[in-house]
């Protein structure tokens, strides 16, 4: 599956999707991630055939889809609102796409039994959607999208209506189904944790453009610009000016006066404005007086005042004030340092765990 220079505009002036070039590998789980209005859902709708590109082309196995209507694209669709027929039972909903394809009755019965077993809906075949829980309805929608063995399964915010625990359970079930059936999935969400949990690759959209496409680990650990760094997970951003640039390391003078060493990822050069990006879990907290022996391994140090301490069950989260800049730090529960609001602390982190990026 391939997008070639695809653009989409509704008003002839602003591109909702701008010069999209994207290859989707057979059998992969690709997530299109981004805020509302970033172009991710429009991209999915063009792939499904519900929207036509303004320019460019979409190909499946080397064949252009420009003249292929949606119902002939052999793609399974799963939406947030399930889109089940309320007057049909589970069995009738699942059989519907097979009947539309004039599948023999014996084959329908065989595929129906297989689909029900795959999504663990045995015994519920005679129920109507209104008699099912949200999770059960989502399983029916998923089974209906898979039952005719589509070339591609498209999912648009399919878990958005579920509560947190059920949503996390369904994430794992969909991930396991993907591995078991070796199906190709294109998944749309604005939920970063969902994208990181489920995907082989994540394409981060912003203003119609893919900002970065990579594995979940690389997207999180090595963002290519400030938008990706701040959109994916929690992040601390420290503005400053680039003072020196080497091949693997640069120095940024923060607005508060501290000199920070970081990886040069997306900066213009000496004298340019930049933002230093460091994740909360990479920051270590020390006593402010003197240098702790363990602190020597960290290149960067910054004084801060604790403004809030929040217990999260698996960690403690600190909000600290570093010369007027609010930062977040995650401390393990077994940390020996006693930290309370109002205390002055020293923050430290390694140069390899922070990046110099474009200014926000």
């Amino acid at each position: 599956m391939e997008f070639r220079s695809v653009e989409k505009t509704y008003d002839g002036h602003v591109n909702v999707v701008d010069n999209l070039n994207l290859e989707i590998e057979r059998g992969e789980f690709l997530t299109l991630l981004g805020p509302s209005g970033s172009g991710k859902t429009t991209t999915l709708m063009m792939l499904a055939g519900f929207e036509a590109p303004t320019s460019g082309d979409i190909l499946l196995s080397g064949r252009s889809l420009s003249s292929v209507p949606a119902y002939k694209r052999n793609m399974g669709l799963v939406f947030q609102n399930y889109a089940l027929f309320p007057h049909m039972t589970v069995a009738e909903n699942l059989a519907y796409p097979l009947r539309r394809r004039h599948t023999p009755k014996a084959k329908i019965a065989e595929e129906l039994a297989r689909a029900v077993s795959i999504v663990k809906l045995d015994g519920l075949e005679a129920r109507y959607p209104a008699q099912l829980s949200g999770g059960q309805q989502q399983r029916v929608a998923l089974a209906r999208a898979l039952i005719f063995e589509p070339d591609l399964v498209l999912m648009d915010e399919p878990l958005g209506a579920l509560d947190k625990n059920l949503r996390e359970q369904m994430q794992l079930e969909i991930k396991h189904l993907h591995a078991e059936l070796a199906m190709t999935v294109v998944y749309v969400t604005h939920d970063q944790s969902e994208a990181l949990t489920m995907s082989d690759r994540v394409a981060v959209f912003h203003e119609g453009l893919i900002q970065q496409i990579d594995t979940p680990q690389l997207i999180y650990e090595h963002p290519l610009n400030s938008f990706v760094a701040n959109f994916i997970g929690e992040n601390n951003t420290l503005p400053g000016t680039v003072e020196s640039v080497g091949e693997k390391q640069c120095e940024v003078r923060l607005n508060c006066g501290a000199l920070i060493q970081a990886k040069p990822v997306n900066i213009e050069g000496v004298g340019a404005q930049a933002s230093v990006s460091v994740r909360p879990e990479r920051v270590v907290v020390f006593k402010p007086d003197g240098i702790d022996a363990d602190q020597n391994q960290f290149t960067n140090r910054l004084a801060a005042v604790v403004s809030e301490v929040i217990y999260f069950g698996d960690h403690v989260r600190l909000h600290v004030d570093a010369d007027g800049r609010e930062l977040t730090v995650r401390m393990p529960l077994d940390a020996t340092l006693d930290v309370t609001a109002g205390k002055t602390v020293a923050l430290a982190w390694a140069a390899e765990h922070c990046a110099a990026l474009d200014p926000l």
Side-chain angles (χ1 to χ4, degrees):
M1 172 64 66
E2 183 179 2
F3 287 79
R4 288 185 183 173
S5 303
V6 171
E7 296 187 348
K8 178 65 177 180
T9 179
Y10 292 104
D11 61 7
H13 301 289
V14 178
N15 282 341
V16 180
V17 174
D18 192 6
N19 193 31
L20 176 61
N21 290 282
L22 173 64
E23 289 189 24
I24 303 168
E25 300 295 332
R26 183 179 296 275
E28 84 166 322
F29 195 119
L30 174 68
T31 294
L32 311 184
L33 174 68
S36 298
S38 62
K40 59 188 188 299
T41 296
T42 301
T43 298
L44 191 81
M45 292 299 102
M46 288 191 290
L47 186 52
F50 299 140
E51 295 282 356
T54 304
S55 62
D57 203 359
I58 304 173
L59 296 89
L60 178 62
S61 300
R63 181 173 63 102
S64 173
L65 294 177
S66 59
S67 60
V68 181
Y71 69 92
K72 287 188 176 180
R73 294 195 179 191
N74 198 40
M75 297 180 186
L77 304 174
V78 185
F79 298 103
Q80 179 176 336
N81 63 0
Y82 316 132
L84 300 176
F85 296 113
H87 63 287
M88 292 184 181
T89 64
V90 168
E92 291 167 341
N93 265 285
L94 295 182
Y96 181 80
L98 297 177
R99 291 199 177 101
R100 292 278 296 177
R101 288 165 173 77
H102 307 291
T103 306
K105 287 185 178 180
K107 181 67 172 176
I108 290 178
E110 178 184 327
E111 292 300 325
L112 181 60
R114 176 172 170 268
V116 166
S117 176
I118 286 175
V119 296
K120 302 178 179 63
L121 287 170
D122 305 84
L124 302 180
E125 295 89 340
R127 293 192 184 181
Y128 290 90
Q131 299 172 311
L132 303 174
S133 68
Q136 289 169 336
Q137 290 183 53
Q138 191 55 274
R139 286 191 180 93
V140 176
L142 182 58
R144 188 176 62 181
L146 299 175
I147 197 167
F148 59 92
E149 298 181 352
D151 294 321
L152 201 62
V153 179
L154 310 180
M155 303 189 188
D156 187 14
E157 303 274 7
L159 308 181
L162 305 181
D163 63 53
K164 182 179 183 294
N165 289 339
L166 185 54
R167 185 166 67 248
E168 291 176 354
Q169 178 186 336
M170 287 298 299
Q171 287 172 12
L172 293 177
E173 290 189 16
I174 292 173
K175 184 175 181 178
H176 294 159
L177 274 177
H178 167 255
E180 179 184 344
L181 302 177
M183 57 188 182
T184 306
V185 177
V186 179
Y187 191 100
V188 165
T189 184
H190 65 274
D191 187 313
Q192 301 96 322
S193 62
E194 195 166 277
L196 296 177
T197 299
M198 303 175 70
S199 315
D200 295 321
R201 288 193 302 161
V202 178
V204 182
F205 277 71
H206 180 51
E207 296 181 344
L209 294 168
I210 292 181
Q211 303 293 312
Q212 184 173 350
I213 179 167
D214 241 320
T215 64
Q217 182 177 357
L218 288 175
I219 287 279
Y220 184 83
E221 297 287 355
H222 303 285
L224 295 182
N225 60 39
S226 290
F227 175 80
V228 176
N230 286 283
F231 186 74
I232 303 293
E234 287 186 290
N235 188 58
N236 292 310
T237 300
L238 298 160
T241 304
V242 179
E243 286 208 350
S244 69
V245 182
E247 184 178 344
K248 295 184 178 180
Q249 195 164 288
C250 68
E251 291 183 321
V252 178
R253 181 71 65 181
L254 301 184
N255 294 349
C256 66
L259 188 63
I260 299 296
Q261 295 181 359
K263 296 177 298 181
V265 177
N266 185 10
I267 54 177
E268 294 185 0
V270 174
Q273 295 298 298
S275 59
V276 173
S277 168
V278 58
R279 298 291 186 186
E281 65 272 15
R282 295 297 189 183
V283 181
V284 181
V285 182
F286 293 96
K287 295 179 181 178
D289 48 339
I291 299 295
D292 189 296
D294 292 333
Q295 196 173 348
N296 292 328
Q297 62 182 298
F298 301 105
T299 313
N300 301 308
R301 300 181 182 89
L302 198 63
V305 177
V306 178
S307 55
E308 192 174 21
V309 181
I310 307 173
Y311 176 75
F312 267 78
D314 59 346
H315 71 278
V316 174
R317 187 171 304 180
L318 307 182
H319 291 160
V320 303
D321 185 319
D323 198 31
R325 191 80 180 180
E326 184 179 288
L327 306 180
T328 301
V329 181
R330 288 187 185 183
M331 285 182 62
L333 291 179
D334 58 358
T336 57
L337 184 63
D338 181 28
V339 178
T340 56
K343 276 195 173 183
T344 299
V345 296
L347 309 179
W349 64 90
E352 64 189 83
H353 291 148
C354 64
L357 302 171
D358 51 299
L360 287 175

